[in-house]
Amino acid sequence: MGISKFDKCVVIKETIIKGRIEHFYKIINETIDEPDLDKMIFATLHNIAFCDYLLGKEVKDNKRFNSLLYVVNKRRKTDYQLSDFYIRF
């Protein structure tokens, strides 16, 4: 991951985070129908939300994440809400 320190600041490169987000989406799409992976899928959804937070994107405004959440809920018979992935420090 491309992280640089500048006098008590951390700079995270946007391209690396976007690549990581794409990787997380790929993981969910490849494993969505696998049994017994609920915890991994939930954690991966949180990873996506956290990466979006690092990029300054609100989870409620992320249409792609919202669509993925809908698909996960439908296929895995879960009831995840956008508010479950809201991150604020």
Side-chain angles (χ1 to χ4, degrees):
M1 185 181 247
I3 297 178
S4 303
K5 281 189 155 187
F6 296 99
D7 192 31
K8 299 182 184 178
C9 295
V10 176
V11 176
I12 300 171
K13 293 186 179 184
E14 181 179 6
T15 54
I16 293 171
I17 296 295
K18 285 184 176 182
R20 184 72 50 110
I21 289 171
E22 291 303 316
H23 181 72
F24 291 140
Y25 276 105
K26 183 179 176 184
I27 288 171
I28 290 180
N29 286 323
E30 289 175 352
T31 61
I32 196 165
D33 293 322
E34 296 294 323
D36 302 325
L37 292 180
D38 291 330
K39 288 180 183 178
M40 189 208 65
I41 289 175
F42 187 74
T44 305
L45 289 168
H46 268 286
N47 287 334
I48 293 169
F50 183 71
C51 287
D52 283 341
Y53 169 77
L54 291 175
L55 295 175
K57 191 185 295 185
E58 291 285 334
V59 75
K60 65 182 180 185
D61 299 330
N62 187 340
K63 305 278 189 228
R64 184 177 180 194
F65 185 76
N66 194 12
S67 296
L68 180 66
L69 203 56
Y70 174 79
V71 171
V72 168
N73 283 335
K74 187 172 175 136
R75 285 200 180 158
R76 300 198 66 85
K77 298 182 182 11
T78 55
D79 188 29
Y80 300 140
Q81 305 293 317
L82 284 175
S83 59
D84 295 336
F85 303 97
Y86 182 76
I87 298 172
R88 182 62 54 208
F89 292 102

